[in-house]
């Protein structure tokens, strides 16, 4: 994919494009696994941030034509610096997304970045909810859950940050049942009937 001589992003498009680069990289599972597991050492997170900066500079500072092969090489080298190889085609996929996103931003089209923002917001909300096994065997007669989904009743909320301190927050309930049923091993089991609103 040859984009010819690079055109410049407008001052309005630049921060949106920068955000888009970070959003695309944040959804790249190979990169995120390498960072989370520190496969590139303690500075793995810094290496990922450097990759984002390098990509943005490559798109915005280069006076040469932009070729997708060069971007793929940059992505591959960044993964190698994190002791990671991606043989799943994701390097090519990420490079294509970034090239397409840059071209759209040059045209003032930010729809793909808006889509990434929305997906990211939804994932943040979902990632903080995890299912907990309920050891109570006397729940067999309670098949009247809202929406008919029996498994949706055993949920807890994770703190958005990964700090080791456990901050318990009371969850408002719809009925007069107990607010917190039990606490074991740092996990809090919230009662079955609770308000799912904010």
């Amino acid at each position: 994919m040859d984009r010819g001589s690079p055109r410049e992003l407008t001052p309005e498009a630049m921060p949106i494009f920068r955000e888009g680069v970070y959003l695309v990289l944040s959804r790249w599972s190979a990169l995120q696994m390498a960072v989370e597991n520190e496969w590139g050492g303690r500075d793995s997170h810094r290496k990922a941030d450097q990759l984002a900066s390098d990509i943005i500079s490559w798109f915005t500072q280069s006076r040469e034509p932009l070729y997708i092969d060069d971007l793929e090489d940059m992505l591959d080298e960044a993964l190698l610096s994190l002791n990671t190889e991606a043989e799943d085609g994701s390097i090519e996929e990420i490079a294509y997304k970034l090239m397409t996103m840059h071209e759209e931003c040059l045209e003032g089209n930010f729809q793909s970045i808006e889509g990434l923002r929305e997906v990211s917001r939804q994932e943040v909300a979902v990632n903080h909810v995890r299912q907990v096994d309920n050891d109570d065997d006397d729940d067999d007669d309670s098949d009247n859950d809202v929406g008919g989904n029996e498994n949706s009743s055993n949920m807890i909320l994770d703190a958005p940050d990964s700090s080791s301190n456990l901050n318990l927050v009371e969850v408002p309930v719809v009925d007069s049942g107990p607010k917190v049923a039990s606490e074991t091993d740092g996990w809090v089991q919230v009662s079955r009937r609770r308000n799912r609103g904010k």
Side-chain angles (χ1 to χ4, degrees), residues 132-139 154 182 184 189:
V132 179
D133 289 333
N134 189 351
D135 293 333
D136 295 340
D137 289 332
D138 54 326
D139 280 347
N154 299 328
S182 66
T184 22
Q189 184 174 346

Side-chain angles (χ1 to χ4, degrees), residues 107-123:
E107 297 167 359
N109 176 358
F110 309 117
Q111 288 182 342
S112 63
I113 296 171
E114 276 298 323
L116 286 170
R117 280 182 191 151
E118 187 58 35
V119 168
S120 182
R121 278 188 217 112
Q122 291 171 358
E123 285 178 353

Side-chain angles (χ1 to χ4, degrees), residues 125-164:
V126 170
N127 284 339
H128 297 300
V129 177
R130 297 188 186 178
Q131 187 166 353
V132 179
D133 289 333
N134 189 351
D135 293 333
D136 295 340
D137 289 332
D138 54 326
D139 280 347
D140 296 338
D141 60 346
S142 59
D143 291 333
N144 296 334
D145 289 345
V146 176
N149 187 353
E150 186 173 328
N151 293 332
S152 68
S153 61
N154 299 328
M155 299 281 183
I156 61 164
L157 298 177
D158 283 344
D161 61 6
S162 57
S163 65
S164 60

Side-chain angles (χ1 to χ4, degrees), residues 14-181:
M14 188 61 203
I16 298 170
F17 176 70
R18 179 179 289 115
E19 177 187 6
V21 169
Y22 279 95
L23 287 170
V24 168
L25 294 180
S26 74
R27 297 182 49 77
W28 187 13
S29 58
L31 178 66
Q32 293 310 309
M33 284 177 46
V35 170
E36 288 170 18
N37 294 301
E38 295 186 339
W39 292 342
R42 291 179 184 246
D43 62 343
S44 294
H45 188 74
R46 185 195 57 76
K47 289 178 181 179
D49 285 343
Q50 185 61 51
L51 171 62
S53 296
D54 291 347
I55 290 170
I56 293 164
S57 294
W58 183 75
F59 275 109
T60 59
Q61 305 298 319
S62 178
R63 297 293 163 227
E64 300 297 318
L66 303 176
Y67 295 100
I68 196 167
D69 294 345
D70 296 334
L71 182 56
E72 289 172 3
D73 290 344
M74 184 187 311
L75 295 171
D76 189 39
E77 288 172 21
L79 281 188
L80 289 175
S81 77
L82 292 165
N83 297 313
T84 307
E85 288 186 319
E87 297 176 355
D88 58 356
S90 63
I91 289 175
E92 294 80 7
E93 180 183 342
I94 296 298
Y96 181 80
K97 284 180 182 179
L98 291 169
M99 293 292 279
T100 302
M101 187 176 65
H102 181 251
E103 189 67 24
E104 290 172 352
C105 286
L106 285 171
E107 297 167 359
N109 176 358
F110 309 117
Q111 288 182 342
S112 63
I113 296 171
E114 276 298 323
L116 286 170
R117 280 182 191 151
E118 187 58 35
V119 168
S120 182
R121 278 188 217 112
Q122 291 171 358
E123 285 178 353
V124 166
V126 170
N127 284 339
H128 297 300
V129 177
R130 297 188 186 178
Q131 187 166 353
V132 179
D133 289 333
N134 189 351
D135 293 333
D136 295 340
D137 289 332
D138 54 326
D139 280 347
D140 296 338
D141 60 346
S142 59
D143 291 333
N144 296 334
D145 289 345
V146 176
N149 187 353
E150 186 173 328
N151 293 332
S152 68
S153 61
N154 299 328
M155 299 281 183
I156 61 164
L157 298 177
D158 283 344
D161 61 6
S162 57
S163 65
S164 60
N165 297 334
L166 178 65
N167 297 322
L168 301 178
V169 178
E170 271 192 2
V171 178
V173 292
V174 176
D175 64 345
S176 61
K179 290 182 181 166
V180 176

